[in-house]
Amino acid sequence: MKILSVFAVLLVALTVSAQAQQTVPTSREQVRLTFAPVVRQVAPAVVNIYTKRVIHAAASPMFADPVFRHFFGDVPGMTRDRVQSSLGSGVLIGADGTVVTNHHVIKDADEVTVVLADRREFEATIVGSDERSDLAVVKITSKGETFPTLALGDSDKIEVGDIVLAIGNPFGVGQTVTQGIVSALARTNIGVSDFRSFIQTDAAINPGNSGGALVDMDGKLIGINSAIYSKDGGSNGIGFAIPTALVRNVVASISKGGKVVRPWLGAGGQAVTSDLAQALKLARPQGVLINNVHRDSPAARGGLQNGDVVTAVQGREVDDPEAMRFRLATLPIGGDAVLTVLRDGVERKVSVRLVAPPETPPRDQTDIGGRNPFSGAVIVNINPALAEEVGIDSGQTGVLVLGVRHASLAQRLGVQPGDLILRINDKPVASVADAVQLLAGERARWSITVNRNGETMTQVIGG
């Protein structure tokens, strides 16, 4: 009985103590939760970006018809200029007026205007833009002005569940702040850029937010808002931001030379599926199975082999080729990357030197003329540097159609930019020189074979 009494006394004491701690708030400060201090810190560095583009359009559809232009040429008044305007957001990351935004915000712009949170307006110039990462850098035109900036945070340190704020100019209503959490990391199946490892958030992101800031509770920039998943154009709570791990490297490269040069690994592979994991006797599906190591590439020199499974780059896990490509793109040229590799069931480290993709063989860019199926096409030899620029496998070789002139014979026959020329008149094409030689002269019958988006197609022209 005494033991029960002691327990009863302890229970009453604990209950009273808990009730004392759960008192009713006596002031507004005790119940208020606010992000205002963070917003006050970061909002001045988030800007609105307005662009203008002059479009030369035919005054009538008839004037755009190739047959009409062939017989009548240019007729006065047949074109009419109109100005197309668009809006987006950006982030000041340099006190000198350096702004980072999305490529698609300033694409083809003739004029760029940056509007600060205090409503001051400045003209700006495009320093450089990278379509493959959907990032761009613009510079405010001013003399002696010092601008507020937002410090770049470390996107690799954030976790799912972290609270974040999205700041931008949705629908042009003005600067707007929304709050949410990090819903997921390393989303690689979002096809809005070639380097896919997005931060997913449920903070409301809408049209006009593109290029704006995703910030953490320390007031640091962790991502550039880039895209949303939506069926009607509005926010459904699924937004995507480009991590600062990539932003930092792209901005540095653009600021240094106006264009982005990324490291070349010289190896390709595929994601390890459950079937592959079973065949490779792996505990679980993970990593990238290397199946194409290019001769004399950094990967080959570093000792990477076909059949290796790359599970991490610089200690960061990778589960598919997109994630591996992203991790390499965040690293500067001139250093080394350490790849964690599974080979015959044994984990090992492979060190790879990070170098720029080479221009070997020379591109030998050639504009094809004459009377042949490729007349009006611009063709080039594929090398790693070109492959990087146009976003194809860096190990691809052969001859690529880089462009096709409007109303040319090649365009009328359906030749498209990106076509890989395989054969002309049943003879293989390995270089631009081969193609020029095989296209020389006139023939009554032509046979061309190209690879388009992985599909091989043959077309016969003439008798």
Side-chain angles (χ1 to χ4, degrees):
M1 293 294 294
K2 290 183 179 180
I3 294 176
L4 291 175
S5 298
V6 171
F7 278 131
V9 171
L10 288 173
L11 181 61
V12 170
L14 290 171
T15 302
V16 171
S17 176
Q19 291 175 345
Q21 293 176 6
Q22 296 176 359
T23 57
V24 175
T26 59
S27 67
R28 182 179 179 183
E29 285 70 22
Q30 290 181 348
V31 298
R32 184 174 63 184
L33 175 64
T34 178
F35 301 110
V38 178
V39 175
R40 281 196 299 270
Q41 175 185 337
V42 305
V46 181
V47 301
N48 299 335
I49 296 179
Y50 296 89
T51 66
K52 290 183 180 180
R53 175 189 175 197
V54 178
I55 298 178
H56 307 285
S60 167
M62 177 182 67
F63 295 150
D65 187 277
V67 176
F68 179 91
R69 297 179 69 92
H70 174 76
F71 286 103
F72 297 99
D74 292 330
V75 177
M78 67 185 302
T79 61
R80 184 176 299 161
D81 293 347
R82 63 183 179 88
V83 177
Q84 183 183 65
S85 300
S86 64
L87 63 89
S89 304
V91 183
L92 278 159
I93 58 171
D96 61 350
T98 299
V99 177
V100 61
T101 184
N102 284 136
H103 164 81
H104 72 261
V105 169
I106 54 85
K107 181 181 180 182
D108 299 326
D110 295 313
E111 297 180 21
V112 179
T113 302
V114 173
V115 182
L116 272 59
D118 61 10
R119 298 196 292 182
R120 287 184 295 163
E121 296 187 8
F122 297 89
E123 292 183 358
T125 58
I126 300 173
V127 179
S129 187
D130 181 43
E131 184 174 8
R132 296 193 63 198
S133 64
D134 195 25
L135 290 170
V137 176
V138 302
K139 180 75 174 294
I140 292 175
T141 304
S142 66
K143 293 183 179 180
E145 189 83 28
T146 300
F147 298 95
T149 62
L150 186 50
L152 270 65
D154 187 351
S155 58
D156 286 333
K157 290 184 178 180
I158 63 173
E159 298 181 76
V160 174
D162 283 351
I163 296 175
V164 289
L165 302 178
I167 308 177
N169 181 17
F171 298 109
V173 300
Q175 189 178 86
T176 302
V177 181
T178 55
Q179 174 265 328
I181 64 170
V182 174
S183 306
L185 296 171
R187 288 297 196 204
T188 59
N189 58 345
I190 311 302
V192 295
S193 78
D194 289 346
F195 296 91
R196 311 167 192 166
S197 190
F198 293 95
I199 301 168
Q200 182 181 328
T201 178
D202 66 348
I205 296 174
N206 287 288
N209 274 110
S210 291
L214 189 71
V215 301
D216 61 16
M217 290 299 96
D218 292 326
K220 298 289 183 65
L221 181 71
I222 58 168
I224 296 296
N225 299 323
S226 183
I228 59 174
Y229 177 82
S230 176
K231 294 182 179 180
D232 58 8
S235 175
N236 288 335
I238 304 177
F240 302 98
I242 303 169
T244 51
L246 181 62
V247 174
R248 181 179 283 105
N249 213 31
V250 170
V251 169
S253 189
I254 289 177
S255 299
K256 185 177 180 180
K259 62 178 293 187
V260 178
V261 181
R262 300 180 181 87
W264 177 55
L265 178 63
Q270 64 187 96
V272 175
T273 62
S274 56
D275 290 339
L276 278 175
Q278 187 174 9
L280 295 169
K281 298 181 180 180
L282 302 179
R284 62 182 178 87
Q286 61 174 325
V288 178
L289 175 62
I290 300 299
N291 54 26
N292 189 8
V293 178
H294 313 313
R295 186 177 60 181
D296 199 32
S297 65
R301 292 192 293 270
L304 197 64
Q305 300 177 8
N306 287 334
D308 286 346
V309 176
V310 178
T311 59
V313 177
Q314 296 292 81
R316 303 287 179 182
E317 287 190 4
V318 294
D319 287 326
D320 51 42
E322 288 76 19
M324 184 172 73
R325 190 181 302 117
F326 169 83
R327 281 295 161 195
L328 290 168
T330 65
L331 303 174
I333 289 173
D336 294 301
V338 177
L339 310 183
T340 303
V341 171
L342 289 175
R343 182 181 299 164
D344 298 326
V346 178
E347 185 176 280
R348 63 187 67 204
K349 306 293 183 182
V350 173
S351 182
V352 177
R353 188 69 176 171
L354 298 174
V355 301
E359 288 278 3
T360 307
R363 301 188 187 196
D364 193 15
Q365 183 169 317
T366 301
D367 192 340
I368 301 298
R371 296 290 300 174
N372 62 74
F374 290 100
S375 180
V378 178
I379 64 174
V380 291
N381 288 321
I382 300 175
N383 60 37
L386 176 72
E388 162 64 27
E389 288 178 15
V390 300
I392 61 176
D393 179 12
S394 63
Q396 181 67 64
T397 59
V399 178
L400 185 76
V401 176
L402 195 62
V404 180
R405 288 201 311 271
H406 178 68
S408 64
L409 181 58
Q411 186 187 57
R412 292 199 295 271
L413 291 175
V415 177
Q416 298 180 13
D419 285 350
L420 180 65
I421 304 174
L422 301 180
R423 303 178 73 85
I424 296 175
N425 293 331
D426 299 323
K427 294 185 178 179
V429 177
S431 67
V432 169
D434 288 347
V436 171
Q437 182 179 8
L438 292 171
L439 293 171
E442 294 189 9
R443 292 174 178 266
R445 178 186 182 277
W446 293 90
S447 172
I448 60 173
T449 302
V450 301
N451 182 286
R452 181 180 298 162
N453 299 323
E455 182 181 353
T456 298
M457 301 179 295
T458 298
Q459 183 178 9
V460 177
I461 302 102

